[in-house]
Amino acid sequence: MEKELLSVKGLSVSVEDKPILDHVNLEIGTGETHVLMGPNGTGKSTLVKTIVHKLKPLGGSTTFGLHAEVGYFDQTSTQSFSTLSVLEDFQNEFPMLSNTEARSALGAFMLTGDDVFKRICDLSGGEKVRLALCKILRKKPNILILDEPTNHMDIIGKETLERLLSNYTGTVITVSHDRYFINRV
């Protein structure tokens, strides 16, 4: 392993105070890709939420490397009811970008033309996912943790994500049931 970005030692997690995973150990390095698969309810999303410190573990520890810049996509990221337009929302997060730079970044995620003037609350699930991923990747993380990124995505969104991830040189950890997506990435 070149450089350790994530170390998980003896991690135990629970759902509603019921232990579901016990003593998980992982060492993840630069440029690696890992997929968490399994039936619903087995703790995949809970594990990644615990790894990124959104949930408290029952035991064990998660440590990111000194140079880890984490981009985390939660499958609930698409539940925004904002009345801001796509462009307004994006520019609020990245105020140093010109209109042209912001529209170019959004265009890479197939949010083009009049799409950038749609209110976020009016976007499809796939469009919301693409916007969330655009914002995450704009921050240039070296480790992406993606929890069911292809849920609610249309074919265009999936192909865009596949293309972006195939060119991504950082570390990827993803939870997915989408075997086609997993095989492509």
Side-chain angles (χ1 to χ4, degrees):
M1 174 174 5
E2 272 183 51
K3 210 181 223 184
E4 187 177 291
L5 284 179
L6 173 62
S7 175
V8 176
K9 294 186 178 163
L11 193 65
S12 297
V13 300
S14 66
V15 171
E16 297 173 2
D17 297 326
K18 250 174 54 178
I20 55 173
L21 292 172
D22 196 29
H23 292 90
V24 175
N25 295 296
L26 298 168
E27 300 292 329
I28 297 179
T30 302
E32 297 180 7
T33 299
H34 296 269
V35 177
L36 301 174
M37 294 178 63
N40 288 333
T42 56
K44 301 174 302 296
S45 293
T46 301
L47 177 62
V48 295
K49 284 179 185 168
T50 305
I51 287 171
V52 297
H53 309 291
K54 300 279 185 199
L55 295 176
K56 189 175 178 182
L58 289 176
S61 66
T62 299
T63 308
F64 285 98
L66 182 62
H67 301 289
E69 296 291 332
V70 179
Y72 173 60
F73 175 82
D74 182 337
Q75 60 183 309
T76 62
S77 298
T78 60
Q79 297 176 353
S80 174
F81 300 101
S82 171
T83 58
L84 291 175
S85 73
V86 169
L87 186 58
E88 290 168 331
D89 178 70
F90 192 76
Q91 288 181 313
N92 281 350
E93 192 145 344
F94 304 99
M96 301 302 287
L97 295 179
S98 69
N99 266 1
T100 302
E101 291 168 324
R103 290 186 72 146
S104 178
L106 291 164
F109 286 81
M110 305 304 288
L111 294 165
T112 59
D114 288 341
D115 290 343
V116 301
F117 301 114
K118 285 184 184 177
R119 296 181 319 161
I120 292 173
C121 60
D122 295 330
L123 296 176
S124 70
E127 289 169 323
K128 287 180 182 179
V129 170
R130 286 184 283 163
L131 175 59
L133 290 170
C134 181
K135 289 160 62 173
I136 289 167
L137 288 169
R138 180 72 195 179
K139 295 174 184 172
K140 298 184 178 12
N142 59 0
I143 182 169
L144 284 174
I145 300 176
L146 308 172
D147 186 8
E148 297 284 359
T150 59
N151 279 3
H152 313 293
M153 263 200 180
D154 54 14
I155 298 292
I156 293 168
K158 286 181 184 182
E159 289 173 349
T160 301
L161 180 59
E162 289 165 10
R163 179 179 41 81
L164 290 164
L165 289 179
S166 66
N167 293 323
Y168 180 71
T169 58
T171 298
V172 178
I173 301 168
T174 188
V175 174
S176 184
H177 290 92
D178 187 335
R179 289 192 182 273
Y180 182 79
F181 168 74
I182 291 166
N183 289 334
R184 299 278 300 173
V185 175

